[in-house]
Amino acid sequence: MKSSLGDGGNNIHQGVYAVTPSGRFLGKIDTGWPTYDAAGSLRNLRVAVDKYREMPKSERIGRRVMKESDRSMAKAEELAQAGVLKMRTTARHYAFPEMELFDQRHPEYAKLDAFWLSPSEQQSMLPSTHKKGERCYLADSLVERMLLHCQPMEGFGAWWKEHIQKQKLEVEVSKVKGSQVFLKFSGELAMSADSQWNKSDYSGRLLGVGVWDEKLKAFTRLEWVTLGMRELKELKSNMHRGGTKETMIASYMRLARNVKEEQGLKPHHWEHYPSSIKRR
């Protein structure tokens, strides 16, 4: 399968391709840049289907068992341990002067990712006593993983731990009703990177709400929003257009709904997640 993509005419296999089970290349399906052409992609798909139908059955079907070495990408890890909390995250830039669709900061390009927390990390987000007014700070290790390994946060400027300048997030018990503990989250985030590959700053605030059910030992609601300014110290011709270096960016993080598409979305940096979260 991997070698069959060589017929595509390039060595960068980004996109959607049609290949027969026997490994015959049928065509590249997606088309259009920077705005994808849905009609053109449909035409390409129909051409690929016609090619497939015209081929003898003996040429369509593979004659050998596929091996791990045939994979274009490594096999993904198994899913998470039981009790892991899964959050769905999205982020996008606000409109800015001189913006063009080629620029990766264009508001049309929303980022989608996931952020998962182990049972012990969830417990650490609660003050030791569940009384109104009680407060505590979220563990630095948890906030660092959110900033470094979560795609919306990754766009804020922190690639490595030393880029993080401020990461204090506080949680306060706002109300207790029966087994439900109502929580408010707030804090400031600041990052600064000055390396060969990443020269940018970010400063912003996080606000959020949550409800912890003491009987269920689980969050029944958890929502975080961040809003801040990102400054690029260096614009790159292959990623940006115009001269605007400072843009506003926002993210929204919430519990993943109980649907396959959201529950199964793995975090962008899954390979760096702690073993306490991964199912073995």
Side-chain angles (χ1 to χ4, degrees):
M1 190 64 68
K2 184 165 50 179
S3 61
S4 68
L5 291 179
D7 294 333
N10 58 62
N11 293 317
I12 302 176
H13 301 139
Q14 294 178 334
V16 179
Y17 295 83
V19 180
T20 69
S22 62
R24 293 281 296 275
F25 179 83
L26 296 174
K28 188 176 187 298
I29 305 305
D30 59 317
T31 186
W33 178 258
T35 304
Y36 282 104
D37 182 352
S41 298
L42 182 58
R43 286 194 297 271
N44 291 344
L45 180 60
R46 286 171 173 160
V47 169
V49 170
D50 289 340
K51 288 182 180 179
Y52 181 79
R53 288 173 175 167
E54 292 171 0
M55 294 171 60
K57 185 176 180 180
S58 59
E59 295 182 16
R60 300 178 188 172
I61 308 302
R63 297 181 179 179
R64 67 180 181 86
V65 177
M66 301 292 281
K67 301 177 181 178
E68 283 296 317
S69 59
D70 291 309
R71 290 184 180 274
S72 293
M73 300 178 66
K75 187 177 181 181
E77 293 275 358
E78 291 294 327
L79 296 180
Q81 293 273 13
V84 166
L85 179 144
K86 300 178 179 181
M87 296 184 74
R88 181 184 186 274
T89 74
T90 55
R92 63 160 37 101
H93 286 265
Y94 279 67
F96 57 92
E98 306 173 288
M99 66 181 188
E100 294 182 21
L101 279 171
F102 185 90
D103 196 306
Q104 66 175 206
R105 299 169 298 170
H106 195 284
E108 188 168 313
Y109 303 136
K111 292 185 176 182
L112 174 66
D113 200 4
F115 182 55
W116 292 3
L117 300 97
S118 69
S120 61
E121 287 175 327
Q122 297 168 52
Q123 288 281 355
S124 73
M125 294 162 59
L126 299 163
S128 56
T129 57
H130 301 166
K131 295 181 180 179
K132 183 178 179 179
E134 289 294 314
R135 304 181 180 187
C136 74
Y137 286 104
L138 273 62
D140 285 346
S141 59
L142 188 155
V143 182
E144 284 172 6
R145 183 152 57 79
M146 179 181 71
L147 296 179
L148 297 175
H149 298 159
C150 186
Q151 180 80 329
M153 296 300 176
E154 189 181 38
F156 290 177
W159 282 15
W160 303 309
K161 186 175 178 178
E162 55 265 32
H163 293 163
I164 301 173
Q165 295 184 322
K166 186 181 292 185
Q167 59 179 49
K168 289 296 184 184
L169 297 184
E170 187 178 48
V171 57
E172 177 184 358
V173 177
S174 59
K175 182 174 66 173
V176 178
K177 185 177 181 181
S179 64
Q180 295 184 318
V181 182
F182 293 78
L183 304 166
K184 292 192 300 185
F185 297 87
S186 62
E188 296 184 0
L189 303 168
M191 288 157 273
S192 181
D194 188 6
S195 68
Q196 177 182 352
W197 305 277
N198 181 19
K199 298 179 183 293
S200 63
D201 291 341
Y202 171 85
S203 62
R205 289 189 57 82
L206 180 147
L207 295 174
V209 293
V211 178
W212 172 266
D213 193 300
E214 188 60 29
K215 287 184 179 178
L216 299 175
K217 298 294 181 184
F219 279 98
T220 57
R221 182 187 181 190
L222 189 58
E223 294 180 272
W224 291 341
V225 294
T226 63
L227 182 64
M229 297 300 297
R230 182 188 182 194
E231 181 182 3
L232 293 176
K233 302 172 188 175
E234 180 181 67
L235 297 173
K236 297 183 181 295
S237 60
N238 63 332
M239 295 188 291
H240 311 115
R241 286 292 184 269
T244 301
K245 291 187 175 181
E246 192 173 72
T247 54
M248 183 176 291
I249 185 171
S251 77
Y252 175 46
M253 311 174 71
R254 61 164 172 78
L255 291 180
R257 299 188 180 97
N258 191 26
V259 294
K260 183 178 179 180
E261 290 75 12
E262 292 193 0
Q263 289 290 323
L265 179 66
K266 292 185 180 67
H268 180 67
H269 281 295
W270 176 245
E271 69 275 12
H272 297 306
Y273 263 60
S275 58
S276 60
I277 290 181
K278 297 178 179 180
R279 183 189 303 167
R280 294 297 182 184

